[in-house]
Amino acid sequence: MEKKLERMRATLRRRLAFFAVGSGCIVLLAVLAATRSLSPLVGDTHYTDFFAGFQTGMLLGLEAVAIFFVVRYLLALRDDARLTALLLEEQDERTQYVEQMAGRYSWRWMTILLLAAAVVAGYFSIGAFVALICAALAEALLTGILRFHFDRQTGGTD
Amino acid sequence: MKSIIRQLRRERKLSQEELAAAVGTTRQTITSIEVGKYTASLPLAYKIAHYFGLTIEEVFDFSDWEEN
């Protein structure tokens, strides 16, 4: 168990480094969005205001999530009981099974919904149509890559 | 899949959390296994059986599987 805890500590330190860099980027982008330094290239002032507000809100939300995980990981690194609980939670096989099953079905439905949305959007905006088609293709491509990766990892390819 | 985990736990005055911590899983998973809603993997089933000093066949009821 001690080896697993040591590996978990190393994992949490890597995640904290990632969150530190990510948080910095998020704060910078939020400031740029709030000061309208990153304005959309198209659209009137109403749209620009809405977009700036959306960007700022989304980035602040992401920052809040990042802070939550940073605090959680820092507390876990200082307390072995919390670290053990976090390790068990992350490695729990039933949780992994649930996530696996949810992901298995969600990607199929998301692809169908994105394509349906693209068709509907196509009647109103070519930009929205292209964006949704690209999202569906990106999702399908990513899923294919991940399936290939895990298939090879588990020795499924000759 | 049915099991006698709850009975074994009560005999030893063991909480679900204590058993979960001992076999490296969460209390929710132990609950799910006890009520038969989740089937433990082979490694987890072995850890649970080994913890109680029993074999997998003594802890878990495979009769439904054998009938099917």
Side-chain angles (χ1 to χ4, degrees):
Chain A
M1 188 65 170
E2 192 49 46
K3 271 189 188 175
K4 283 186 181 179
L5 287 180
E6 205 42 57
R7 275 200 293 269
M8 189 66 181
R9 283 190 195 98
T11 300
L12 291 187
R13 286 188 198 106
R14 276 197 300 273
R15 287 182 193 174
L16 282 170
F18 170 79
F19 276 117
V21 172
S23 277
C25 295
I26 288 171
V27 167
L28 175 65
L29 286 171
V31 167
L32 289 174
T35 57
R36 313 291 168 90
S37 302
L38 291 175
S39 297
L41 298 174
V42 296
D44 58 15
T45 49
H46 292 297
Y47 176 70
T48 307
D49 289 343
F50 168 77
F51 192 72
F54 178 81
Q55 268 188 315
T56 308
M58 184 191 74
L59 291 167
L60 288 176
L62 284 174
E63 184 67 20
V65 169
I67 290 171
F68 168 78
F69 280 106
V70 164
V71 169
R72 193 173 186 208
Y73 294 158
L74 283 173
L75 288 174
L77 283 171
R78 291 177 188 187
D79 179 0
D80 272 5
R82 278 185 199 261
L83 185 66
T84 305
L86 189 61
L87 174 67
L88 292 180
E89 190 184 306
E90 291 203 0
Q91 293 191 348
D92 179 54
E93 65 174 51
R94 196 187 68 90
T95 306
Q96 289 177 356
Y97 171 76
V98 167
E99 287 177 2
Q100 180 191 345
M101 292 305 286
R104 180 182 180 186
Y105 293 108
S106 73
W107 84 266
R108 292 175 193 173
W109 281 105
M110 276 310 300
T111 306
I112 292 169
L113 288 172
L114 280 171
L115 290 173
V119 168
V120 171
Y123 285 102
F124 304 101
S125 164
I126 186 73
F129 171 75
V130 171
L132 288 166
I133 288 290
C134 287
L137 285 173
E139 189 200 25
L141 184 65
L142 179 63
T143 302
I145 291 170
L146 287 172
R147 288 185 78 173
F148 179 73
H149 165 72
F150 288 114
D151 190 47
R152 284 201 67 171
Q153 197 179 59
T154 53
T157 310
D158 292 327
Chain B
M1 177 182 288
K2 294 177 193 164
S3 71
I4 59 168
I5 296 172
R6 182 168 286 177
Q7 177 192 326
L8 291 168
R9 246 194 336 102
R10 285 177 177 165
E11 283 170 6
R12 291 158 175 75
K13 294 185 172 47
L14 200 62
S15 70
Q16 288 179 330
E17 270 210 14
E18 287 166 339
L19 176 60
V23 300
T25 188
T26 61
R27 185 192 59 77
Q28 288 84 350
T29 298
I30 296 295
T31 305
S32 297
I33 294 171
E34 284 184 359
V35 300
K37 286 205 164 183
Y38 176 72
T39 303
S41 67
L42 180 58
L44 181 57
Y46 173 78
K47 281 182 191 174
I48 293 172
H50 185 71
Y51 180 80
F52 289 115
L54 300 169
T55 64
I56 292 178
E57 291 85 351
E58 286 171 322
V59 175
F60 293 91
D61 180 8
F62 288 90
S63 57
D64 286 344
W65 279 29
E66 283 165 4
E67 279 167 17
N68 291 337

Short mmCIF file of all heavy atoms in Angstrom, two decimals, chain B residues 1-44:
data_model
loop_
_atom_site.label_atom_id
_atom_site.label_comp_id
_atom_site.label_asym_id
_atom_site.label_seq_id
_atom_site.Cartn_x
_atom_site.Cartn_y
_atom_site.Cartn_z
N MET B 1 -24.75 -11.10 -8.41
CA MET B 1 -24.30 -12.34 -7.79
C MET B 1 -24.44 -12.23 -6.28
O MET B 1 -24.03 -11.25 -5.68
CB MET B 1 -22.83 -12.59 -8.16
CG MET B 1 -22.26 -13.82 -7.51
SD MET B 1 -20.54 -14.08 -7.91
CE MET B 1 -20.70 -14.57 -9.61
N LYS B 2 -25.00 -13.31 -5.69
CA LYS B 2 -25.21 -13.29 -4.24
C LYS B 2 -23.91 -13.63 -3.52
O LYS B 2 -23.03 -14.30 -4.07
CB LYS B 2 -26.28 -14.31 -3.86
CG LYS B 2 -27.66 -13.95 -4.39
CD LYS B 2 -28.66 -15.04 -4.06
CE LYS B 2 -29.93 -14.84 -4.85
NZ LYS B 2 -30.77 -16.04 -4.86
N SER B 3 -23.83 -13.19 -2.28
CA SER B 3 -22.65 -13.50 -1.47
C SER B 3 -23.06 -13.49 0.00
O SER B 3 -24.17 -13.07 0.34
CB SER B 3 -21.55 -12.46 -1.70
OG SER B 3 -21.93 -11.22 -1.12
N ILE B 4 -22.13 -13.96 0.83
CA ILE B 4 -22.40 -13.97 2.28
C ILE B 4 -21.56 -12.92 2.99
O ILE B 4 -21.26 -13.01 4.18
CB ILE B 4 -22.15 -15.37 2.89
CG1 ILE B 4 -20.69 -15.81 2.66
CG2 ILE B 4 -23.14 -16.40 2.34
CD1 ILE B 4 -20.29 -17.02 3.46
N ILE B 5 -21.14 -11.91 2.25
CA ILE B 5 -20.25 -10.89 2.80
C ILE B 5 -20.89 -10.17 3.98
O ILE B 5 -20.24 -9.96 5.01
CB ILE B 5 -19.85 -9.87 1.71
CG1 ILE B 5 -19.05 -10.57 0.61
CG2 ILE B 5 -19.05 -8.73 2.30
CD1 ILE B 5 -18.77 -9.71 -0.60
N ARG B 6 -22.17 -9.81 3.84
CA ARG B 6 -22.82 -9.09 4.94
C ARG B 6 -22.84 -9.94 6.21
O ARG B 6 -22.56 -9.44 7.31
CB ARG B 6 -24.24 -8.71 4.53
CG ARG B 6 -24.98 -7.91 5.58
CD ARG B 6 -26.24 -7.30 5.04
NE ARG B 6 -25.94 -6.16 4.18
CZ ARG B 6 -26.85 -5.46 3.52
NH1 ARG B 6 -28.13 -5.77 3.61
NH2 ARG B 6 -26.50 -4.45 2.77
N GLN B 7 -23.14 -11.21 6.04
CA GLN B 7 -23.19 -12.12 7.19
C GLN B 7 -21.81 -12.23 7.84
O GLN B 7 -21.66 -12.14 9.06
CB GLN B 7 -23.66 -13.49 6.70
CG GLN B 7 -23.71 -14.58 7.76
CD GLN B 7 -23.91 -15.94 7.13
OE1 GLN B 7 -24.60 -16.10 6.11
NE2 GLN B 7 -23.30 -16.95 7.70
N LEU B 8 -20.78 -12.37 6.99
CA LEU B 8 -19.41 -12.49 7.51
C LEU B 8 -18.99 -11.20 8.22
O LEU B 8 -18.33 -11.25 9.26
CB LEU B 8 -18.45 -12.77 6.34
CG LEU B 8 -18.58 -14.14 5.67
CD1 LEU B 8 -17.79 -14.18 4.37
CD2 LEU B 8 -18.13 -15.25 6.60
N ARG B 9 -19.38 -10.08 7.67
CA ARG B 9 -19.04 -8.79 8.27
C ARG B 9 -19.66 -8.66 9.64
O ARG B 9 -19.02 -8.22 10.60
CB ARG B 9 -19.57 -7.65 7.39
CG ARG B 9 -18.56 -6.81 6.73
CD ARG B 9 -19.09 -5.52 6.14
NE ARG B 9 -20.47 -5.43 5.78
CZ ARG B 9 -21.40 -4.82 6.50
NH1 ARG B 9 -21.09 -4.26 7.64
NH2 ARG B 9 -22.65 -4.76 6.07
N ARG B 10 -20.93 -9.02 9.73
CA ARG B 10 -21.65 -8.88 11.00
C ARG B 10 -21.09 -9.82 12.06
O ARG B 10 -21.00 -9.46 13.24
CB ARG B 10 -23.15 -9.11 10.79
CG ARG B 10 -23.80 -7.91 10.12
CD ARG B 10 -25.26 -8.12 9.82
NE ARG B 10 -25.81 -6.88 9.25
CZ ARG B 10 -26.96 -6.81 8.62
NH1 ARG B 10 -27.71 -7.88 8.46
NH2 ARG B 10 -27.40 -5.66 8.12
N GLU B 11 -20.70 -11.01 11.63
CA GLU B 11 -20.12 -11.98 12.58
C GLU B 11 -18.84 -11.42 13.19
O GLU B 11 -18.55 -11.65 14.36
CB GLU B 11 -19.81 -13.30 11.86
CG GLU B 11 -21.03 -14.17 11.60
CD GLU B 11 -20.72 -15.34 10.69
OE1 GLU B 11 -19.53 -15.54 10.35
OE2 GLU B 11 -21.67 -16.05 10.31
N ARG B 12 -18.10 -10.69 12.38
CA ARG B 12 -16.83 -10.14 12.85
C ARG B 12 -16.95 -8.70 13.32
O ARG B 12 -15.95 -8.04 13.59
CB ARG B 12 -15.78 -10.23 11.73
CG ARG B 12 -15.36 -11.66 11.43
CD ARG B 12 -14.77 -11.75 10.02
NE ARG B 12 -14.25 -13.08 9.71
CZ ARG B 12 -14.99 -14.15 9.43
NH1 ARG B 12 -16.31 -14.05 9.40
NH2 ARG B 12 -14.44 -15.31 9.14
N LYS B 13 -18.18 -8.18 13.39
CA LYS B 13 -18.46 -6.80 13.82
C LYS B 13 -17.60 -5.81 13.02
O LYS B 13 -16.91 -4.95 13.57
CB LYS B 13 -18.22 -6.64 15.33
CG LYS B 13 -19.18 -7.43 16.19
CD LYS B 13 -18.96 -7.14 17.66
CE LYS B 13 -20.03 -7.77 18.55
NZ LYS B 13 -20.34 -9.17 18.28
N LEU B 14 -17.70 -5.98 11.72
CA LEU B 14 -16.89 -5.16 10.82
C LEU B 14 -17.82 -4.23 10.04
O LEU B 14 -18.86 -4.66 9.55
CB LEU B 14 -16.19 -6.13 9.83
CG LEU B 14 -14.97 -5.69 9.06
CD1 LEU B 14 -13.84 -5.37 10.01
CD2 LEU B 14 -14.53 -6.83 8.14
N SER B 15 -17.43 -2.96 9.93
CA SER B 15 -18.25 -2.04 9.14
C SER B 15 -17.90 -2.18 7.66
O SER B 15 -16.83 -2.70 7.31
CB SER B 15 -18.03 -0.60 9.59
OG SER B 15 -16.73 -0.18 9.21
N GLN B 16 -18.76 -1.66 6.82
CA GLN B 16 -18.49 -1.70 5.37
C GLN B 16 -17.24 -0.88 5.05
O GLN B 16 -16.44 -1.27 4.20
CB GLN B 16 -19.68 -1.13 4.60
CG GLN B 16 -20.89 -2.05 4.58
CD GLN B 16 -22.05 -1.44 3.82
OE1 GLN B 16 -22.21 -0.23 3.77
NE2 GLN B 16 -22.90 -2.29 3.26
N GLU B 17 -17.08 0.22 5.77
CA GLU B 17 -15.90 1.07 5.52
C GLU B 17 -14.62 0.36 5.88
O GLU B 17 -13.61 0.47 5.16
CB GLU B 17 -16.01 2.37 6.33
CG GLU B 17 -16.71 3.44 5.57
CD GLU B 17 -16.27 4.84 5.92
OE1 GLU B 17 -15.24 5.01 6.57
OE2 GLU B 17 -17.00 5.74 5.53
N GLU B 18 -14.65 -0.35 6.98
CA GLU B 18 -13.44 -1.06 7.42
C GLU B 18 -13.09 -2.15 6.41
O GLU B 18 -11.92 -2.33 6.05
CB GLU B 18 -13.66 -1.68 8.81
CG GLU B 18 -13.65 -0.65 9.93
CD GLU B 18 -14.18 -1.19 11.23
OE1 GLU B 18 -14.92 -2.21 11.22
OE2 GLU B 18 -13.88 -0.61 12.28
N LEU B 19 -14.10 -2.88 5.96
CA LEU B 19 -13.84 -3.93 4.97
C LEU B 19 -13.34 -3.31 3.67
O LEU B 19 -12.39 -3.81 3.06
CB LEU B 19 -15.12 -4.74 4.70
CG LEU B 19 -15.01 -5.81 3.61
CD1 LEU B 19 -13.94 -6.83 3.95
CD2 LEU B 19 -16.36 -6.50 3.39
N ALA B 20 -13.97 -2.20 3.26
CA ALA B 20 -13.57 -1.53 2.02
C ALA B 20 -12.11 -1.09 2.09
O ALA B 20 -11.33 -1.30 1.16
CB ALA B 20 -14.47 -0.32 1.76
N ALA B 21 -11.72 -0.48 3.20
CA ALA B 21 -10.34 -0.03 3.36
C ALA B 21 -9.38 -1.21 3.35
O ALA B 21 -8.29 -1.14 2.79
CB ALA B 21 -10.19 0.76 4.66
N ALA B 22 -9.80 -2.32 3.96
CA ALA B 22 -8.93 -3.49 4.05
C ALA B 22 -8.67 -4.13 2.69
O ALA B 22 -7.59 -4.67 2.43
CB ALA B 22 -9.55 -4.52 5.00
N VAL B 23 -9.68 -4.10 1.80
CA VAL B 23 -9.52 -4.76 0.49
C VAL B 23 -9.24 -3.76 -0.63
O VAL B 23 -9.18 -4.13 -1.80
CB VAL B 23 -10.75 -5.63 0.15
CG1 VAL B 23 -10.93 -6.71 1.19
CG2 VAL B 23 -12.01 -4.81 0.01
N GLY B 24 -9.12 -2.47 -0.27
CA GLY B 24 -8.72 -1.47 -1.27
C GLY B 24 -9.82 -1.02 -2.20
O GLY B 24 -9.60 -0.85 -3.41
N THR B 25 -11.00 -0.84 -1.66
CA THR B 25 -12.10 -0.32 -2.48
C THR B 25 -12.92 0.66 -1.64
O THR B 25 -12.51 1.03 -0.55
CB THR B 25 -12.96 -1.48 -3.03
OG1 THR B 25 -13.90 -0.95 -3.97
CG2 THR B 25 -13.72 -2.19 -1.93
N THR B 26 -14.05 1.09 -2.19
CA THR B 26 -14.87 2.07 -1.47
C THR B 26 -16.07 1.39 -0.80
O THR B 26 -16.46 0.28 -1.17
CB THR B 26 -15.41 3.15 -2.41
OG1 THR B 26 -16.23 2.53 -3.41
CG2 THR B 26 -14.29 3.91 -3.09
N ARG B 27 -16.64 2.08 0.17
CA ARG B 27 -17.81 1.55 0.89
C ARG B 27 -18.97 1.31 -0.08
O ARG B 27 -19.69 0.32 0.03
CB ARG B 27 -18.23 2.54 1.99
CG ARG B 27 -19.34 2.04 2.88
CD ARG B 27 -19.91 3.16 3.74
NE ARG B 27 -20.43 4.26 2.95
CZ ARG B 27 -21.59 4.25 2.32
NH1 ARG B 27 -22.37 3.18 2.38
NH2 ARG B 27 -22.00 5.30 1.65
N GLN B 28 -19.10 2.22 -1.06
CA GLN B 28 -20.21 2.08 -2.02
C GLN B 28 -20.09 0.77 -2.82
O GLN B 28 -21.10 0.14 -3.13
CB GLN B 28 -20.21 3.27 -3.00
CG GLN B 28 -20.66 4.59 -2.39
CD GLN B 28 -19.52 5.31 -1.69
OE1 GLN B 28 -18.44 4.77 -1.48
NE2 GLN B 28 -19.77 6.55 -1.32
N THR B 29 -18.87 0.40 -3.15
CA THR B 29 -18.67 -0.84 -3.90
C THR B 29 -19.02 -2.04 -3.04
O THR B 29 -19.66 -3.00 -3.52
CB THR B 29 -17.22 -0.93 -4.41
OG1 THR B 29 -16.98 0.17 -5.29
CG2 THR B 29 -16.96 -2.22 -5.15
N ILE B 30 -18.64 -2.01 -1.78
CA ILE B 30 -18.98 -3.11 -0.87
C ILE B 30 -20.50 -3.22 -0.76
O ILE B 30 -21.07 -4.33 -0.81
CB ILE B 30 -18.34 -2.91 0.52
CG1 ILE B 30 -16.81 -2.94 0.43
CG2 ILE B 30 -18.86 -3.95 1.51
CD1 ILE B 30 -16.24 -4.28 0.00
N THR B 31 -21.17 -2.10 -0.63
CA THR B 31 -22.64 -2.10 -0.56
C THR B 31 -23.23 -2.73 -1.81
O THR B 31 -24.13 -3.57 -1.74
CB THR B 31 -23.18 -0.66 -0.42
OG1 THR B 31 -22.59 -0.04 0.70
CG2 THR B 31 -24.69 -0.66 -0.27
N SER B 32 -22.73 -2.31 -2.97
CA SER B 32 -23.25 -2.83 -4.23
C SER B 32 -23.04 -4.33 -4.35
O SER B 32 -23.90 -5.04 -4.87
CB SER B 32 -22.57 -2.13 -5.42
OG SER B 32 -22.85 -0.76 -5.43
N ILE B 33 -21.89 -4.80 -3.89
CA ILE B 33 -21.61 -6.24 -3.96
C ILE B 33 -22.54 -6.99 -3.01
O ILE B 33 -23.10 -8.03 -3.36
CB ILE B 33 -20.13 -6.53 -3.61
CG1 ILE B 33 -19.21 -5.93 -4.67
CG2 ILE B 33 -19.89 -8.03 -3.51
CD1 ILE B 33 -17.74 -5.97 -4.31
N GLU B 34 -22.73 -6.45 -1.82
CA GLU B 34 -23.58 -7.12 -0.81
C GLU B 34 -25.02 -7.26 -1.29
O GLU B 34 -25.66 -8.29 -1.05
CB GLU B 34 -23.55 -6.36 0.51
CG GLU B 34 -22.26 -6.57 1.29
CD GLU B 34 -22.29 -5.89 2.65
OE1 GLU B 34 -23.31 -5.23 2.97
OE2 GLU B 34 -21.30 -6.00 3.38
N VAL B 35 -25.54 -6.24 -1.96
CA VAL B 35 -26.94 -6.33 -2.42
C VAL B 35 -27.04 -7.01 -3.78
O VAL B 35 -28.14 -7.14 -4.32
CB VAL B 35 -27.61 -4.94 -2.47
CG1 VAL B 35 -27.62 -4.32 -1.08
CG2 VAL B 35 -26.97 -4.03 -3.46
N GLY B 36 -25.92 -7.43 -4.32
CA GLY B 36 -25.93 -8.18 -5.57
C GLY B 36 -26.10 -7.33 -6.82
O GLY B 36 -26.38 -7.86 -7.90
N LYS B 37 -25.89 -6.01 -6.68
CA LYS B 37 -26.07 -5.15 -7.85
C LYS B 37 -24.78 -5.04 -8.67
O LYS B 37 -24.80 -4.56 -9.80
CB LYS B 37 -26.52 -3.77 -7.41
CG LYS B 37 -27.95 -3.72 -6.96
CD LYS B 37 -28.52 -2.33 -7.11
CE LYS B 37 -30.03 -2.39 -7.05
NZ LYS B 37 -30.66 -1.10 -7.25
N TYR B 38 -23.67 -5.40 -8.07
CA TYR B 38 -22.39 -5.32 -8.78
C TYR B 38 -21.62 -6.61 -8.52
O TYR B 38 -21.58 -7.11 -7.40
CB TYR B 38 -21.59 -4.11 -8.29
CG TYR B 38 -20.22 -4.01 -8.90
CD1 TYR B 38 -20.05 -3.65 -10.23
CD2 TYR B 38 -19.09 -4.32 -8.15
CE1 TYR B 38 -18.79 -3.59 -10.80
CE2 TYR B 38 -17.82 -4.26 -8.71
CZ TYR B 38 -17.67 -3.89 -10.04
OH TYR B 38 -16.42 -3.83 -10.61
N THR B 39 -21.02 -7.14 -9.59
CA THR B 39 -20.22 -8.36 -9.45
C THR B 39 -18.76 -7.98 -9.35
O THR B 39 -18.22 -7.33 -10.27
CB THR B 39 -20.44 -9.26 -10.69
OG1 THR B 39 -21.83 -9.55 -10.80
CG2 THR B 39 -19.68 -10.57 -10.53
N ALA B 40 -18.14 -8.36 -8.26
CA ALA B 40 -16.74 -8.02 -8.06
C ALA B 40 -15.85 -8.69 -9.10
O ALA B 40 -16.17 -9.77 -9.60
CB ALA B 40 -16.29 -8.47 -6.67
N SER B 41 -14.75 -8.01 -9.45
CA SER B 41 -13.78 -8.61 -10.36
C SER B 41 -13.07 -9.74 -9.62
O SER B 41 -13.17 -9.85 -8.39
CB SER B 41 -12.76 -7.56 -10.80
OG SER B 41 -11.98 -7.17 -9.68
N LEU B 42 -12.35 -10.55 -10.37
CA LEU B 42 -11.63 -11.68 -9.76
C LEU B 42 -10.65 -11.22 -8.68
O LEU B 42 -10.65 -11.77 -7.57
CB LEU B 42 -10.93 -12.50 -10.84
CG LEU B 42 -10.12 -13.72 -10.37
CD1 LEU B 42 -11.01 -14.70 -9.61
CD2 LEU B 42 -9.47 -14.42 -11.56
N PRO B 43 -9.81 -10.21 -8.96
CA PRO B 43 -8.88 -9.76 -7.91
C PRO B 43 -9.59 -9.28 -6.65
O PRO B 43 -9.18 -9.60 -5.54
CB PRO B 43 -8.11 -8.62 -8.57
CG PRO B 43 -8.21 -8.87 -10.02
CD PRO B 43 -9.55 -9.49 -10.23
N LEU B 44 -10.67 -8.53 -6.82
CA LEU B 44 -11.39 -8.01 -5.65
C LEU B 44 -12.08 -9.14 -4.91
O LEU B 44 -12.06 -9.18 -3.67
CB LEU B 44 -12.40 -6.94 -6.06
CG LEU B 44 -13.19 -6.30 -4.91
CD1 LEU B 44 -12.24 -5.68 -3.88
CD2 LEU B 44 -14.16 -5.25 -5.44
#
